[in-house]
Amino acid sequence: MTPPPAHPCSAADNLRAAVALLQALQRRGLRRLVLCPGSRSGPLAVAAGLLERHAPDGGGLELYTAVDERSAAFLALGLGRADGLAAAVVTTSGTAVANLLPAAVEADHGAIPLLLLSADRPQRLKGCGANQTVNQERFLQPSARRCLSGDPRGLAAMEPAALEALAAEAWGASHASPPGPVHLNLPLEEPLHGSVDDLQQLAQALQATAAAAPLPAPTVAPAPAPAEPSPLDPGRPGAVVVGPWRGPLSDLPACAEALRRWQAATGWPVLADGLSGLRGWPGLRLIHSYDLLLAEGHALPPAPQLLRLGPMPASRRLQQWIATCPGPQLLISEADPRNLDAGAGVSQRNALGLVAWLQAQPPLPVQPPAASLAWAQPWHRADATAQAQLDQALAGGSSEPAIARALSRQLPPGLPVMLASSSPVRDWESFAAAEAPQRPLISFRGASGIDGTLSLAAGLALGCGALVLVTGDLALLHDSNGWLWWQQLMDRGVRLTVVLIDNGGGGIFEQLPIRADGPLDFERLFAMPQAVDQVALAQAHGVPARRLGDLEALPEGLRWALPHPLALLELRTNRQADARLRQDLRRRMAGLHGGPHGD
């Protein structure tokens, strides 16, 4: 069968269509684009470069370049997590698109907006053995909010109105409730690469029209409708459990104030995950040590009723305690209507967000009821005792729990921190100091992978201006291409400090019961230590790095590292000893049930 003829177009037609599509996305709020190398994506690359230079009032695309599509997608994911606006990634065709899947999975689970633009062959070259032609339009389908395509004949075959509609659908779907990844697969017919005259003519046209086309404010998704009346009674005892914060960081203060009002009126104890961003928040009285206090053998009672905010916290012990609570549970999420129950028997869900939900409630009690304060007292007493014992148990050592506690106190207030999956996020939740100052804490626990750890941190740093990443050795090694972002961080005056806790392999697996003596080769099958000098690896990328001898060297190390655009501090620990220490601390803390005599 004779294939259909190619759609007649010129390289200039492809370039004009690419510019029109990106401009349509800009009109809806696109500000940042991460570009990966490729030939089929050439018109999109040139269009991005032109729109970076020629834009109204300096409002052009902020352009980042990357040689690794997987790393590029995670950088864009970090950018979107920082302010709630999607960044775009542009790749060429073929396996380049497959490298976007890990970030798409995390964006889906974490409700983070993300635009993934892939160049492709036109439909006439599909299914006939043409080079670099694969079914890439389906690669991201399981995780994408939408999988959209340009005209199968090629982008140049699309009228301006069609390009405008495609951009509107993509941006709207990425920022809907819940936000998430959107894939735009864009066929491009040859010729792809225009002449110098083509570029100059389009650049002159953009420059001449720029002043008349200022970009509007970014659009946002509408709030969901109010739900049914609350099943909770603020006049009776209860508790609040707060999971990781998934809304824009700028929305957190209003949510914290709403929670402060609720606690002031009810007296309910607040068990806040470290990733809630609420620890250290003025006016909130939190339970910090719940993960330790709820270890096997604890005597703390189940809550008569529960207000849950956001996704389920990471602590499995807290999850088990929630499952024992017999009363009503209300789960409030921030514009995420999906089921975040995690099997805990929630009575009612509400995606309105805490601020809007509280505004719709009847007046709260003037002061906390005595019965509620009495029910909460054992929690606060046990928490205070646990914090005092942690100070004693972790003094003078350089274990992973001690590092988490020291960092929570020594890092500057307000400086955002990203915690890598596995041990760092769990240790911060359990061992960070109760009096540590407030700061945004971020981790990508949607899918709990270690993919893209360093690139995610770079994206967050670019979005926030400065960031500290706390990571283990395998997670950092898994994304060593992330060191390549250092030049772009430096060019933009951004600071990223990486604190590496190198325990010689997968320390999280040391806590599995399978570690027991026997014929199993635990080191080879689970821990997988790697003979890589991470300080030397960072330095090979041009990144300054230091290895600290012990925890006492941390304050001076931070003073050296924090001013750099990108720097690495390495601390080495013993994962087997740290696993024993965690087990011992849990056994000790489980007895602090906060009874009348504090025993």
Side-chain angles (χ1 to χ4, degrees):
M1 182 176 179
T2 304
H7 176 74
C9 68
S10 66
D13 293 334
N14 277 324
L15 181 55
R16 281 191 290 268
V19 168
L21 177 63
L22 293 184
Q23 283 184 318
L25 289 169
Q26 280 186 290
R27 283 190 284 274
R28 278 150 186 84
L30 179 66
R31 297 293 180 269
R32 300 153 309 194
L33 186 144
V34 189
L35 176 66
C36 304
S39 176
R40 185 63 54 168
S41 55
L44 292 164
V46 174
L50 289 172
L51 292 174
E52 181 187 33
R53 294 184 178 185
H54 304 286
D57 303 324
L61 279 179
E62 187 170 357
L63 184 60
Y64 306 88
T65 57
V67 299
D68 179 346
E69 291 87 2
R70 179 172 163 273
S71 176
F74 278 110
L75 182 92
L77 191 64
L79 288 167
R81 178 65 181 86
D83 64 5
L85 291 176
V89 180
V90 170
T91 77
T92 192
S93 57
T95 58
V97 186
N99 282 285
L100 304 176
L101 181 58
V105 170
E106 191 62 62
D108 173 24
H109 282 265
I112 303 169
L114 180 66
L115 292 179
L116 302 167
L117 281 62
S118 57
D120 199 359
R121 265 67 174 166
Q123 186 61 39
R124 69 180 183 85
L125 295 178
K126 292 281 190 173
C128 62
N131 178 56
Q132 204 169 323
T133 304
V134 297
N135 62 339
Q136 62 187 55
E137 62 273 15
R138 297 200 293 271
F139 284 179
L140 309 181
Q141 191 169 3
S143 296
R145 298 286 181 268
R146 296 276 197 286
C147 287
L148 307 173
S149 293
D151 191 302
R153 297 171 296 168
L155 201 63
M158 300 181 71
E159 297 293 332
L163 292 168
E164 195 76 36
L166 182 62
E169 185 176 2
W171 187 264
S174 186
H175 295 82
S177 178
V182 168
H183 181 200
L184 277 74
N185 195 58
L186 305 172
L188 287 156
E189 182 62 84
E190 296 184 6
L192 301 171
H193 308 291
S195 65
V196 174
D197 287 342
D198 292 335
L199 297 180
Q200 290 178 342
Q201 289 176 14
L202 187 52
Q204 290 170 1
L206 288 172
Q207 195 168 19
T209 60
L215 299 177
T219 56
V220 294
E228 57 199 277
S230 170
L232 304 181
D233 181 358
R236 296 191 301 109
V240 182
V241 173
V242 188
W245 175 256
R246 282 189 179 169
L249 296 179
S250 59
D251 291 349
L252 182 58
C255 182
E257 172 58 22
L259 180 57
R260 187 202 63 76
R261 288 175 51 212
W262 177 266
Q263 186 179 46
T266 64
W268 291 10
V270 175
L271 287 65
D273 188 291
L275 302 180
S276 67
L278 297 176
R279 295 191 178 184
W281 205 281
L284 283 176
R285 191 180 182 195
L286 305 181
I287 305 298
H288 295 79
S289 308
Y290 57 80
D291 183 64
L292 298 171
L293 297 173
L294 293 174
E296 184 177 357
H298 78 87
L300 288 163
Q305 51 184 339
L306 273 179
L307 172 60
R308 285 180 50 195
L309 304 180
M312 180 70 80
S315 167
R316 291 185 180 180
R317 295 161 192 84
L318 181 57
Q319 294 176 26
Q320 293 167 356
W321 176 80
I322 289 173
T324 68
C325 296
Q329 293 186 31
L330 169 63
L331 193 159
I332 298 177
S333 61
E334 302 294 323
D336 190 344
R338 296 177 295 181
N339 183 4
L340 305 178
D341 181 4
V346 165
S347 303
Q348 185 184 116
R349 295 195 298 271
N350 185 304
L352 192 61
L354 181 62
V355 173
W357 174 82
L358 191 57
Q359 290 174 347
Q361 300 308 302
L364 294 174
V366 177
Q367 59 185 11
S372 296
L373 293 175
W375 187 88
Q377 188 178 22
W379 280 95
H380 292 293
R381 181 185 297 117
D383 189 48
T385 304
Q387 289 294 312
Q389 292 201 9
L390 284 176
D391 278 337
Q392 295 177 0
L394 300 179
S398 294
S399 64
E400 293 178 64
I403 292 172
R405 198 162 183 83
L407 284 171
S408 72
R409 285 169 164 152
Q410 295 179 23
L411 290 175
L415 177 62
V417 173
M418 176 183 156
L419 302 168
S421 294
S422 297
S423 295
V425 66
R426 290 174 171 87
D427 283 338
W428 197 290
E429 180 182 32
S430 297
F431 304 111
E435 80 282 4
Q438 191 277 332
R439 59 175 58 87
L441 284 173
I442 305 156
S443 188
F444 292 82
R445 297 279 300 164
S448 294
I450 60 172
D451 305 82
T453 297
L454 185 52
S455 298
L456 282 166
L460 282 167
L462 288 162
C464 299
L467 183 88
V468 171
L469 166 65
V470 183
T471 180
D473 50 307
L474 294 189
L476 187 60
L477 187 61
H478 198 274
D479 188 33
S480 59
N481 272 354
W483 291 123
L484 296 173
W485 296 112
W486 76 268
Q487 183 68 54
Q488 299 185 57
L489 292 168
M490 185 173 68
D491 290 346
R492 290 166 171 84
V494 170
R495 293 177 291 113
L496 172 59
T497 300
V498 179
V499 178
L500 166 62
I501 304 172
D502 190 341
N503 57 24
I508 190 69
F509 301 116
E510 290 289 345
Q511 301 177 58
L512 296 176
I514 202 169
R515 189 48 160 126
D517 293 335
L520 183 71
D521 188 347
F522 180 88
E523 291 293 299
R524 180 167 175 264
L525 298 180
F526 287 92
M528 300 186 187
Q530 303 297 313
V532 176
D533 185 334
Q534 303 239 32
V535 169
L537 181 61
Q539 291 172 337
H541 286 83
V543 176
R546 284 186 181 180
R547 180 173 293 120
L548 305 182
D550 53 34
L551 196 52
E552 292 184 359
L554 181 60
E556 174 56 31
L558 290 173
R559 282 191 291 271
W560 167 80
L562 288 173
H564 285 280
L566 180 58
L568 170 69
L569 290 176
E570 181 190 83
L571 284 157
R572 292 190 170 180
T573 62
N574 184 314
R575 52 183 155 87
Q576 296 182 25
D578 288 348
R580 292 191 296 269
L581 173 63
R582 293 184 187 99
Q583 293 169 359
D584 178 63
L585 290 172
R586 294 192 191 286
R587 283 192 294 268
R588 293 166 58 182
M589 300 300 168
L592 304 176
H593 57 76
H597 304 293
D599 55 346

